[in-house]
Amino acid sequence: RLRTRTNRSGGIQGGISNGEIINMRIAFKPTSTISRKQNTVTRDKKETELIARGRHDPCVVPRAVPMVEASVALVLIDQLLAQYAQCQLFPINSDFQEPLQLPKLEQSG
């Protein structure tokens, strides 16, 4: 089987898969802290105001992994369906298709 010497392109060159394993890097910006006063309730059911200072945000990594996986799956299946549609690789149901008739060529001679 022909392969590239390295997979430094992550399996995609010029927007097209080259047959190697597709690698990707995902980055997220930190979630923002809301610095405005917010009305809230304590565990003792007393009303209070919450003022956030610094970074006390929850980690988004546990939620990020399934979101990225689902997004990648949607993009890949969309491209696969586009490829199938463009190359007419879907099976043709002959019950719904008219037979193809090629023009007859005249023989010279």
Side-chain angles (χ1 to χ4, degrees):
R1 164 178 166 204
L2 293 175
R3 298 187 62 151
T4 58
R5 288 187 187 151
T6 64
N7 192 17
R8 292 190 185 114
S9 66
I12 297 177
Q13 294 174 329
I16 301 172
S17 170
N18 64 6
E20 296 294 326
I21 294 173
I22 297 175
N23 295 325
M24 61 190 82
R25 294 182 198 171
I26 309 297
F28 287 89
K29 73 175 198 68
T31 54
S32 59
T33 301
I34 300 172
S35 58
R36 292 175 46 186
K37 291 182 185 178
Q38 300 177 59
N39 295 325
T40 187
V41 179
T42 65
R43 291 183 180 156
D44 300 329
K45 299 180 182 176
K46 295 179 183 176
E47 291 188 19
T48 185
E49 287 184 344
L50 174 68
I51 302 172
R53 293 187 178 101
R55 289 231 173 254
H56 304 285
D57 303 318
C59 182
V60 297
V61 172
R63 291 178 295 244
V65 172
M67 289 187 323
V68 170
E69 287 176 348
S71 298
V72 169
L74 285 172
V75 168
L76 290 177
I77 196 68
D78 182 51
Q79 292 302 310
L80 180 65
L81 288 173
Q83 177 69 22
Y84 278 152
Q86 182 178 7
C87 297
Q88 300 174 353
L89 295 176
F90 283 121
I92 297 173
N93 187 341
S94 59
D95 295 337
F96 300 116
Q97 301 291 324
E98 295 180 15
L100 180 65
Q101 295 180 3
L102 298 174
K104 294 184 180 181
L105 299 175
E106 295 180 19
Q107 294 182 359
S108 60

